[in-house]
């Protein structure tokens, strides 16, 4: 039996999540349909870079525009967003974001810590001279450390990266390169079970890796330098 529950919270920030329970698994999809064009999202809190809601063919999606972003520049209103994410533990997070604001990312506000299960999102690469990136951020800690699996249209590959104490490190590249067309929608998926990680692009399994330890942290979306990318249908199953 499947149970569908819709949660809608109306306030200064509009939030809408759709929860589906099937067996022992729960699936939460972040719904952007009630967001307002041209404004920051109330569901994905921009921590680094310029993120806003745009209309894409009549559908509300989240956009990151790195063309106007300066490396090292946190998003506006960081302190308020950090409190919304980490509550009383927000000060350490703020300090580290300010010190290491090297890559644009936004955090899913109303999703709890992700430990294992599946994360997926749809993305569209729109523009970018230096990079054309879209990724899933996870295992975000209060000290600012995180993991990310991203696709780069300049390299045509899926790669797992770590970000620890301000240093980004390459971990593993997908088994093969997959060229994607610009301005078309694609799906990136990350699965974590214990320390086993897998990643797939448009349903094609590309990456396997054994993590040093199990994950537990916030999740969100990731980008790089001057990328202009659209995001939609962020789903967490756990």
């Amino acid at each position: 039996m499947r149970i569908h529950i819709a949660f809608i919270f109306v306030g200064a920030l509009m939030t809408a999540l759709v929860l589906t329970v099937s067996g022992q698994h729960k699936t939460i999809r972040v719904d952007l349909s009630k967001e307002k064009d041209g404004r920051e999202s109330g569901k994905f809190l921009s921590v680094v870079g310029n993120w806003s809601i745009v209309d894409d063919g009549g559908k509300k999606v989240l956009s990151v525009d790195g063309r106007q972003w300066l490396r090292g520049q946190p998003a506006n209103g960081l302190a308020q967003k950090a409190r919304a994410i980490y509550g009383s533990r927000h000060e350490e997070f703020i300090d580290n974001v300010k010190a290491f604001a090297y890559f644009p990312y936004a955090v899913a506000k109303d999703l709890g810590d992700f430990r294992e299960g599946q994360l997926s999102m749809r993305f569209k690469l729109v523009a970018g001279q230096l990079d054309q990136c879209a990724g899933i951020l996870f295992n975000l800690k209060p000290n600012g450390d995180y993991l990310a699996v991203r696709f780069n249209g300049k390299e045509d590959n899926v790669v797992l990266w770590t970000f620890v104490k301000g240093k980004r490190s390459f971990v593993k590249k997908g088994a093969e390169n997959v060229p994607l067309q610009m301005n078309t929608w694609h799906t990136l998926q990350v699965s974590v079970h214990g320390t086993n990680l897998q990643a797939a692009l448009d349903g094609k399994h590309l990456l396997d890796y054994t993590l040093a330890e199990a994950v537990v942290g916030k999740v969100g979306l990731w980008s790089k330098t001057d990328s202009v990318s659209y995001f939609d249908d962020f789903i967490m199953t756990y």
Side-chain angles (χ1 to χ4, degrees):
M1 180 177 69
R2 300 177 67 88
I3 302 173
H4 298 272
I5 308 172
F7 295 92
I8 302 178
F9 304 89
V10 181
L13 295 178
M14 181 76 73
T15 304
L17 301 176
V18 177
L19 170 65
T20 300
V21 180
S22 179
Q24 295 182 346
H25 297 288
K26 296 180 180 179
T27 297
I28 300 178
R29 175 182 175 272
V30 181
D31 182 5
L32 302 176
S33 63
K34 304 299 183 182
E35 301 262 61
K36 295 185 178 180
D37 292 352
R39 296 189 182 182
E40 288 194 20
S41 172
K43 303 166 190 65
F44 287 98
L45 302 184
S46 53
V47 176
V48 180
N50 300 320
W51 299 76
S52 63
I53 297 296
V54 299
D55 185 284
D56 181 61
K59 187 174 184 181
K60 305 289 179 58
V61 301
L62 182 62
S63 168
V64 62
D65 189 345
R67 295 171 299 184
Q68 305 300 320
W69 174 69
L70 298 176
R71 179 183 169 95
Q73 182 182 52
N76 294 330
L78 175 61
Q80 180 181 0
K81 295 169 185 173
R83 282 192 292 271
I85 297 168
Y86 284 114
S88 61
R89 304 161 65 195
H90 70 280
E91 292 186 359
E92 179 186 12
F93 183 69
I94 292 173
D95 290 342
N96 282 283
V97 169
K98 289 181 177 179
F100 307 122
Y102 301 150
F103 302 97
Y105 70 90
V107 178
K109 174 178 176 287
D110 295 301
L111 299 184
D113 285 343
F114 174 75
R115 288 175 170 79
E116 69 172 22
Q118 189 177 96
L119 301 168
S120 67
M121 58 83 173
R122 293 200 313 142
F123 69 92
K124 178 195 288 191
L125 304 178
V126 178
Q129 293 296 315
L130 298 175
D131 284 290
Q132 296 162 0
C133 280
I136 296 174
L137 175 145
F138 60 106
N139 204 37
L140 177 66
K141 306 294 189 182
N143 67 358
D145 293 350
Y146 62 79
L147 296 168
V149 172
R150 64 88 177 120
F151 178 81
N152 189 331
K154 289 291 189 179
E155 301 175 4
D156 296 331
N157 59 29
V158 171
V159 172
L160 169 65
W161 294 90
T162 64
F163 189 87
V164 178
K165 296 180 180 179
K167 180 182 179 181
R168 186 183 68 143
S169 299
F170 170 88
V171 179
K172 189 173 183 180
K173 184 173 73 171
E176 61 182 275
N177 287 359
V178 184
L180 298 182
Q181 290 185 348
M182 297 286 288
N183 289 295
T184 59
W185 286 99
H186 302 276
T187 300
L188 182 65
Q189 184 182 84
V190 175
S191 300
V192 178
H193 298 283
T195 57
N196 297 319
L197 180 145
Q198 296 182 334
L201 180 66
D202 289 336
K204 186 172 187 177
H205 181 197
L206 293 174
L207 191 151
D208 288 280
Y209 186 74
T210 300
L211 300 166
E213 59 185 14
V215 306
V216 54
K218 302 296 184 182
V219 299
L221 300 167
W222 187 93
S223 186
K224 188 181 178 187
T225 56
D226 68 337
S227 301
V228 180
S229 303
Y230 290 176
F231 300 86
D232 192 22
D233 290 331
F234 189 93
I235 298 173
M236 181 171 79
T237 301
Y238 60 101

